[in-house]
Amino acid sequence: MSYAHAGPLQPIPDTQAVRSVVLVHGAFADGSGWRGVYDELTARGYRVSIVQNPLTSLVDDVAATTRVLGRQNSPAILVGHSWGGTVITEAGAHPKVAGLVYVSALSPDAGETTAQQYEGYVTPPEFVIETTPDGYGFVKPQAFKAGFANDASDAEVAFLRDSQVPINMSSFATKLETAAWRTKPSWAVIATEDKAFDQRMLKAMATRIGATVTEVAASHAVFMTQPRAVADVIDEAARRLSAQTR
């Protein structure tokens, strides 16, 4: 479905079982990009934690996420953006995780690499990665707005561009051991103006994992530019899963 917000924020009831949310950023942008989603969800009564991935390897990012999951005091919705989708796919087997939300995110299967998800698809020309001699990738500064955040203000783009967290490109060649979406209910937010992924690829991944899909008119930075839309999907997932446990 396409996103259209309808109505005021509704605080979660005191009896709701799924009350925690863990947000996992992807490559290039750190956890501060989740601030709008954090504000939306905490205003509704959720406990929200933000993982700061080192982006040095899949193992390291999964460890960082698992560390935060272990500190939750209720069942949690685990949310990943972009590369963060790969991370939550592996880390989502944690017993505290009730459900998964993929925000324009990758979702490999066990035994697959992240790089394999791109096979047969064409990444839009606006998204350009520059790799350093030691194997870390940055989004090309001159292409950052067009490729990553074309619906953000120039000031926001400048900050994101200049505060990039590079990712170890070898991470994309690491095979996953677990695919949490095979056992946990999943939702997917697809940004329809995303220039980091082929739209066909985003839709195919969401279909394969059986996700409930919401399309949002936004760039790859949908987690930052459309925080209410993303928060509404997370809220829906938490409420629906809580209702199922009654």
Side-chain angles (χ1 to χ4, degrees):
M1 67 177 181
S2 296
Y3 176 77
H5 178 72
L9 302 181
Q10 296 294 324
I12 61 175
D14 293 339
T15 55
Q16 183 165 311
V18 182
R19 311 180 63 83
S20 297
V21 177
V22 175
L23 304 172
V24 181
H25 67 81
F28 316 117
D30 72 4
S32 64
W34 289 113
R35 180 59 190 268
V37 174
Y38 173 92
D39 289 345
E40 287 278 345
L41 291 172
T42 55
R44 303 180 203 196
Y46 288 98
R47 175 191 176 184
V48 183
S49 302
I50 299 172
V51 176
Q52 293 288 8
N53 284 325
L55 301 181
T56 46
S57 70
L58 176 59
V59 170
D60 291 346
D61 289 354
V62 169
T65 301
T66 300
R67 203 171 293 126
V68 173
L69 285 170
R71 296 173 60 84
Q72 303 309 302
N73 55 16
S74 81
I77 301 297
L78 183 60
V79 185
H81 171 251
S82 195
W83 161 255
T86 293
V87 179
I88 71 169
T89 297
E90 187 75 59
H94 193 284
K96 290 283 181 69
V97 176
L100 307 163
V101 176
Y102 290 84
V103 181
S104 266
L106 296 148
S107 53
D109 201 351
E112 292 182 348
T113 68
T114 301
Q116 284 177 268
Q117 309 315 296
Y118 293 83
E119 293 176 359
Y121 300 104
V122 180
T123 301
E126 292 90 341
F127 194 74
V128 182
I129 295 177
E130 297 179 329
T131 304
T132 62
D134 62 346
Y136 279 75
F138 288 86
V139 177
K140 184 177 181 179
Q142 297 88 337
F144 196 93
K145 183 177 178 69
F148 196 93
N150 58 38
D151 55 347
S153 70
D154 288 345
E156 289 170 329
V157 169
F159 182 79
L160 284 171
R161 179 195 66 214
D162 296 339
S163 63
Q164 286 191 65
V165 185
I167 186 168
N168 186 335
M169 297 299 288
S170 68
S171 303
F172 290 90
T174 304
K175 287 185 178 180
L176 276 71
E177 296 181 1
T178 302
W181 50 260
R182 287 195 169 276
T183 56
K184 306 287 175 80
S186 299
W187 283 256
V189 176
I190 293 179
T192 60
E193 304 304 316
D194 195 326
K195 300 301 182 184
F197 295 122
D198 187 324
Q199 285 289 310
R200 297 173 303 150
M201 173 181 167
L202 286 171
K203 292 174 182 177
M205 289 189 295
T207 297
R208 181 172 74 157
I209 70 175
T212 300
V213 176
T214 298
E215 294 187 351
V216 180
S219 72
H220 189 60
V222 57
F223 67 104
M224 185 190 78
T225 62
Q226 294 290 334
R228 177 163 287 194
V230 174
D232 282 352
V233 174
I234 297 167
D235 187 22
E236 176 195 348
R239 290 176 189 265
R240 188 180 299 179
L241 291 170
S242 295
Q244 292 174 1
T245 62
R246 290 175 188 166

